[in-house]
Amino acid sequence: MHDNERVSAPSETNAWNHVYSGKVRDLYEPAAGPDDLLLVVASDRVSAFDHVLEPGIPGKGDLLTSLSLWWFDQLREVPNHLVPDHELDAAGVAVSSIPAGFAGRAMLVRKLDMFPVECVVRGYLTGSGWKEYVANRTVCGIPLPDGLRDGDRLPEPLFTPAYKAPLGEHDENISFSRMVELIGEDDAVALKDLSLGIYETASLTAERHGVILADTKFEFGRNPGTGVITLGDEVLTSDSSRYWDRDVYLTSDDPTARMASFDKQIVRNWLAHNWDQDDPSTPTPPTLPAEIVTQTADRYRELLERLTGSGR
């Protein structure tokens, strides 16, 4: 079955009600409570340029879920939304509360009152930041020195928040002062400090595994029961982060090759060369060729193996 079809709960259980589907993830609530839990299911769907593409990337949901769980484990000092997904039966045997059809690609989490901002941290100059730098010598309005190149390490990591736009609209980069207006100064400062601290920890961890964490985004919410600011969503996956091979980055003379990402950049590059988004006669992106799907899956898998020492 193609993963795009796996939206309804598996037939072996009626314990979960489907409540939402995004481009790449599906959310479920327990049919009989408690009402503070969610099942976050990562699909194999892949999106680019605001379109869900065909076909999906086989195993992507499992790979990203494994990576998120590994990172949550590395960041135990940061409160997160995970809850135990196993319980003991009468015989003392651990039984998973996650349906078998979702095994390996789902996280059982506690609902949070989410902040309407994405907390982006950039350690290197690239992507949209590079385009702005070329035009204005700034990134998200933050001045930077002259002479930087695409892919260069920034003098210090930058916190560049974005407003989470309503469904169907584009997220909007915002200033820190605008973030303060949206959520208040105390929470804005707390999210900035948490984001920069997590990035520093994750960056050092990645470097020990031969990987550069160029940039990433975090999402936080407040635990409604305790009031504690809590790390939610996925964390430090190759869908929410840009990772590069450290050795290639340090030794390559090719400025493009040194920034080859462990993510869907292969898909974006292929689409950019094979689809004109502005042509009204081709509103739907073309089907991805098998070799692009395979190469992308290999990159996702290689990152997991690099960081955790094991693949899926």
Side-chain angles (χ1 to χ4, degrees), residues 48-81:
F49 306 122
D50 291 324
H51 287 265
V52 176
L53 309 175
E54 294 286 348
I57 307 299
K60 174 175 174 280
D62 294 59
L63 293 167
L64 294 192
T65 299
S66 295
L67 192 53
S68 258
L69 292 172
W70 184 82
W71 274 116
F72 278 126
D73 196 47
Q74 309 308 303
L75 302 167
R76 292 184 184 182
E77 72 282 0
V78 181
N80 67 62
H81 65 163

Side-chain angles (χ1 to χ4, degrees), residues 35 38 42 57 60 83 124 154-155 177 191 215-216 218 228 238 240 254:
D35 59 7
L38 278 176
I57 307 299
K60 174 175 174 280
V83 299
Y124 290 74
L154 293 167
S177 61
L191 294 189
D215 53 47
T216 190
F218 305 112
V228 173
S238 39
S240 64
D254 184 336

Side-chain angles (χ1 to χ4, degrees), residues 88-157:
L88 298 180
D89 64 12
V93 177
V95 178
S96 176
S97 54
I98 294 178
F102 292 153
R105 58 191 182 97
M107 297 186 296
L108 186 62
V109 306
R110 194 169 307 283
K111 291 181 182 178
L112 305 175
D113 295 329
M114 300 300 293
F115 291 100
V117 290
E118 290 187 339
C119 296
V120 180
V121 181
R122 305 168 188 262
Y124 290 74
L125 181 62
T126 192
S128 61
W130 166 247
K131 293 179 182 178
E132 182 184 334
Y133 176 80
V134 170
N136 304 315
R137 292 298 183 266
T138 62
V139 171
C140 295
I142 301 171
L144 290 174
D146 291 338
L148 297 177
R149 302 170 301 158
D150 188 10
D152 277 357
R153 186 170 188 164
L154 293 167
E156 61 182 12

Side-chain angles (χ1 to χ4, degrees), residues 90-311:
V93 177
V95 178
S96 176
S97 54
I98 294 178
F102 292 153
R105 58 191 182 97
M107 297 186 296
L108 186 62
V109 306
R110 194 169 307 283
K111 291 181 182 178
L112 305 175
D113 295 329
M114 300 300 293
F115 291 100
V117 290
E118 290 187 339
C119 296
V120 180
V121 181
R122 305 168 188 262
Y124 290 74
L125 181 62
T126 192
S128 61
W130 166 247
K131 293 179 182 178
E132 182 184 334
Y133 176 80
V134 170
N136 304 315
R137 292 298 183 266
T138 62
V139 171
C140 295
I142 301 171
L144 290 174
D146 291 338
L148 297 177
R149 302 170 301 158
D150 188 10
D152 277 357
R153 186 170 188 164
L154 293 167
E156 61 182 12
L158 299 180
F159 179 74
T160 58
Y163 171 66
K164 290 167 62 175
L167 185 63
E169 300 180 22
H170 292 286
D171 292 343
E172 172 191 357
N173 290 335
I174 58 174
S175 65
F176 183 73
S177 61
R178 176 57 180 150
M179 182 178 174
V180 169
E181 292 175 0
L182 287 170
I183 66 173
E185 184 173 5
D186 288 348
D187 286 340
V189 170
L191 294 189
K192 178 180 180 179
D193 290 346
L194 272 169
S195 299
L196 289 170
I198 295 171
Y199 175 81
E200 180 180 8
T201 298
S203 181
L204 292 173
T205 300
E207 291 252 6
R208 289 197 295 270
H209 294 270
V211 177
I212 289 173
L213 175 60
D215 53 47
T216 190
K217 71 175 181 70
F218 305 112
E219 295 195 32
F220 296 91
R222 193 182 301 281
N223 185 312
T226 66
V228 173
I229 293 177
T230 302
L231 181 60
D233 201 63
E234 63 179 350
V235 62
L236 293 161
T237 71
S238 39
D239 267 12
S240 64
S241 315
R242 187 180 273 114
Y243 288 97
W244 300 331
D245 185 307
R246 185 190 60 192
D247 290 342
V248 173
Y249 178 87
L250 294 175
T251 61
S252 178
D253 294 327
D254 184 336
T256 301
R258 74 172 183 155
M259 295 182 289
S261 298
F262 290 97
D263 60 14
K264 59 185 176 184
Q265 191 61 47
I266 295 169
V267 169
R268 294 193 196 98
N269 292 345
W270 185 86
L271 277 181
H273 286 91
N274 292 277
W275 179 46
D276 183 355
Q277 299 178 67
D278 300 322
D279 185 348
S281 67
T282 58
T284 303
T287 299
L288 298 174
E291 62 268 23
I292 295 298
V293 172
T294 299
Q295 290 172 25
T296 304
D298 288 346
R299 291 298 280 177
Y300 278 103
R301 187 171 294 106
E302 183 180 352
L303 177 64
L304 180 66
E305 292 172 350
R306 287 280 195 96
L307 289 174
T308 71
S310 63

